[in-house]
Amino acid sequence: LAPAGASRGGEMGVMKAYVVVLLFVVLSTLGLYWWHWRSHGAAAVNAVVLGLQFFLPLNALICWWELALGLYISQVQAEYRDLKERYKGRNLAAVQALCLCDTSLSEMFSLKFWTKIWSTYSLYDPSYQNQESFGFFIDVGNGWSTLGPTLLFSWAISCDLPVFLTPRIVGLIGLCKFYQEWYGTVIYFLSFFFNRRYKGLHWGEVAGFVGISNGLWFFFPILGMYASVRLVVDEDYSVFGR
């Protein structure tokens, strides 16, 4: 396996992996904000809109990566074994190499390329390279089952949907989606700490790479469930300021 941080700076269209991720999150979020503002005015850009239009594109990206985890678990396992041998407990160095990994235009849209996310995260939680674990199945399941509802909800915030997709139906779909993500995160945290997977890791790494990163899927789904309940009860899109 080629080192994760191997440079290919001479190639056209090559960017560092962290730049690709940041550009996607920032541009997609700002694009959704702009579209909502353009369609419904500045007053419609409320806290619910701001929160969900940040979280939903990020969640769609993670869903894409979760498809890679399920489809290419053998590659994740091979990369994980290589990383363990190469870095020998220097997990932060492996994360740095991942962030600085050169990414070509074709690789940006390749599921196989993004297996590196999971092989590196597995240095902190090896359950992700084990297809028999809860962590593996909850994330793969979320990838397949929540990508469509994520895109639907993103669209529903600012745009009109076909007549059969009433606010109540969208709210029910959203309630199922967001509850699944929230519940899965709660069980994952319990599994991580109950099985003491934090042993041998610095508390800062546990807080950052396990706590904060996964914590987004604890707090933002609560906001999504609130918005979904409002859609069901109000039977309109007033929760999104329109």
Side-chain angles (χ1 to χ4, degrees):
L1 295 174
S7 177
R8 305 199 310 273
E11 295 183 23
M12 293 293 293
V14 170
M15 289 188 287
K16 299 300 183 183
Y18 81 92
V19 175
V20 174
V21 174
L22 283 176
L23 280 176
F24 174 83
V25 173
V26 170
L27 293 179
S28 59
T29 300
L30 291 179
L32 289 173
Y33 288 164
W34 174 82
W35 184 257
H36 196 75
W37 169 81
R38 181 180 181 274
S39 301
H40 307 289
V45 185
N46 57 33
V48 174
V49 170
L50 289 173
L52 290 181
Q53 287 189 327
F54 162 74
F55 175 70
L56 290 167
L58 176 62
N59 190 66
L61 177 64
I62 301 302
C63 286
W64 180 251
W65 292 348
E66 288 166 339
L67 299 183
L69 175 63
L71 292 172
Y72 299 109
I73 182 60
S74 297
Q75 181 170 314
V76 171
Q77 292 167 338
E79 291 172 352
Y80 167 69
R81 291 191 295 268
D82 179 71
L83 290 172
K84 277 192 70 177
E85 177 62 27
R86 185 185 308 160
Y87 292 100
K88 301 184 185 300
R90 296 181 296 114
N91 296 349
L92 280 177
V95 173
Q96 182 181 24
L98 171 65
C99 292
L100 297 178
C101 178
D102 285 333
T103 312
S104 69
L105 186 61
S106 61
E107 287 170 333
M108 294 175 195
F109 301 97
S110 166
L111 287 174
K112 273 193 168 184
F113 177 82
W114 295 107
T115 57
K116 295 177 175 64
I117 296 291
W118 303 109
S119 53
T120 304
Y121 186 77
S122 293
L123 295 174
Y124 292 95
D125 185 354
S127 69
Y128 274 85
Q129 56 84 44
N130 177 7
Q131 68 265 44
E132 297 180 356
S133 71
F134 174 82
F136 170 83
F137 270 102
I138 189 61
D139 271 30
V140 172
N142 279 344
W144 285 104
S145 63
T146 67
L147 179 57
T150 294
L151 298 176
L152 172 67
F153 218 82
S154 298
W155 187 264
I157 290 175
S158 302
C159 304
D160 293 331
L161 295 172
V163 65
F164 64 90
L165 287 172
T166 64
R168 176 167 289 179
I169 290 176
V170 173
L172 290 173
I173 293 172
L175 195 57
C176 293
K177 164 196 142 53
F178 289 115
Y179 178 75
Q180 175 181 318
E181 292 166 350
W182 179 83
Y183 179 75
T185 301
V186 170
I187 299 301
Y188 172 69
F189 276 137
L190 291 174
S191 172
F192 183 86
F193 287 103
F194 182 81
N195 291 294
R196 299 186 177 183
R197 297 193 191 111
Y198 54 82
K199 292 185 68 175
L201 299 174
H202 188 274
W203 70 266
E205 293 178 280
V206 174
F209 295 111
V210 178
I212 294 176
S213 62
N214 288 284
L216 295 175
W217 275 262
F218 179 87
F219 292 106
F220 280 104
I222 293 175
L223 179 63
M225 285 188 281
Y226 164 76
S228 298
V229 170
R230 284 283 307 275
L231 290 174
V232 173
V233 173
D234 298 342
E235 296 189 53
D236 60 28
Y237 292 104
S238 58
V239 67
F240 301 136
R242 69 183 187 94

